[in-house]
Amino acid sequence: MWIRDRQASATAAEFFAGVGLVRMALERVGVQIAFANDISPVKQRMYAENFGLDEFALADIRELTGDDVPSVDIATASFPCTDVSLAGTRAGLKGKESGLLGDFLRIIDEMGDRRPQLLLIENVTGFASSDEGRDLVRTLEYLSALGYWSDILNLDARRFVPQSRPRMFILCDRAPASIESNLWGSTAPLRPVWATSLFRQHPLIQSYPAQIPLPPDKASENIEDVLEPFDKDASIWWDEERKNNFEASLSAINLRRAKALREHPEIMHATSYRRTRGGQAVWEIRGDDISGCLRTTRGGSSKQAVVEGGKGELRVRWMTAREYARLQGAPDFRWGRASDLQARFALGDAVCVPAVEWLARHHFSRLLS
């Protein structure tokens, strides 16, 4: 069972809880989860492996009301990105999955005077352009009508772990310490330029400058630090036919990267992912020491591969669930009887723990002892 790092001084409700990585982040800063909700039985079982189920409500959020949620200081929502992602349907908040954000807001509304003091809403940066930006504006206006002041920050997981994972966070406060315009510049490196303009253009949005210090520029680890070691004859490596097909799909620049790996005097690694270019599936090898953004493993294009090269040899394999967990900042995460594929799906659908921890430590600071 996951052990929190310190005694809890604030309580939270965790919506779209998944396997509990938001909880892991909050408990690290002293926040106790009083309520968690998700609809997936598979994710619930993995959540139970790490946290138990005392606070977990397995239910469709559309069937919940404000009365189902206990009084808490904080509420979080990592709502589905399917319809707002640039790689998704782009149906926006009218979509079946991303539209569930509306039910989270409805529940907060129904809590009335018990509304949490602070909210933390997370999604892909594509939410900013969903329905030409109107989805975000309507969300912020709704939050303002509920009595919240909001700020928007973009934070990339690569500041904490060797994974490129930019995410948008909406930070909301019912009683911010300051709304002074001269403070907007203090977190400018995390706040997208367009956000300040958006706030100024829409007078119905109550905005404030969240005071979040800058995290490190880059993680202390690189991809070599998180990969599991496998003997070169292990069955996890792709066979010759599959590896040859992999190399045959590479563009000129990716062939050069594969060649450099193969010819390196020591064993080196890179990550690779499949793209569709000109209607054809091709593999691309990253030219740096981090992984691409982890995704839900619904298909081959969303699963990452590891390329190992050196001393005249080249090998390729799928990334493991344990590596997914490490890249999400949750190296000790357990998935019990779930399959490796189910674990990768759930972890790819989750948050980067240290990124959420960083925001929580500062956004929730006035509630933490």
Side-chain angles (χ1 to χ4, degrees), residues 20 37 44 56 89 92 135 143 145 157 164 172 188 199 230 255-256 260 280 295 339 348 353 369:
N37 166 247
Q44 180 202 37
F56 197 102
T89 66
D135 281 343
L143 288 164
S164 172
C172 305
F199 293 144
F230 291 100
L255 278 171
R256 287 196 294 272
Q280 293 187 333
R295 301 177 182 173
S339 68
V353 175
S369 60

Side-chain angles (χ1 to χ4, degrees), residues 4 19 21 55 74 83 122 148 160 170 180 202 279 348 365:
R4 61 177 60 94
V19 294
L21 296 200
E55 303 84 19
I74 299 160
D83 304 303
E122 178 267 352
Y148 290 99
F160 307 93
I170 303 176
E180 296 179 27
H202 296 276
S365 61

Side-chain angles (χ1 to χ4, degrees), residues 4-12 26-34 71-74 117-118 360-361 364-369:
R4 61 177 60 94
D5 287 357
R6 53 187 291 189
Q7 185 175 358
S9 58
T11 57
L26 298 192
E27 289 189 344
R28 287 183 180 179
V29 301
V31 176
Q32 178 182 355
I33 300 299
S71 297
V72 291
D73 303 302
I74 299 160
Q117 289 297 309
L118 299 166
R361 188 176 302 280
F364 305 152
S365 61
R366 65 183 170 89
L367 301 181
L368 305 176
S369 60

Side-chain angles (χ1 to χ4, degrees), residues 39-109:
I39 196 173
S40 167
V42 175
K43 291 179 180 178
Q44 180 202 37
R45 290 194 291 273
M46 285 184 261
Y47 193 104
E49 285 287 329
N50 295 274
F51 310 102
L53 291 177
D54 289 347
E55 303 84 19
F56 197 102
L58 181 67
D60 187 330
I61 191 173
R62 293 172 294 185
E63 298 174 357
L64 296 178
T65 70
D67 291 337
D68 296 316
V69 183
S71 297
V72 291
D73 303 302
I74 299 160
T76 69
S78 294
F79 67 99
C81 68
T82 312
D83 304 303
V84 298
S85 170
L86 297 178
T89 66
R90 298 299 281 171
L93 296 186
K94 295 177 182 177
K96 181 179 179 181
E97 296 188 42
S98 297
L100 296 175
L101 173 63
D103 286 280
F104 167 74
L105 298 174
R106 169 186 57 78
I107 290 169
I108 299 299
D109 189 358

Side-chain angles (χ1 to χ4, degrees), residues 184-200:
W184 281 107
S186 60
T187 48
L190 295 182
R191 185 179 300 107
V193 174
W194 54 261
T196 306
S197 298
L198 181 147
F199 293 144
R200 290 170 177 163

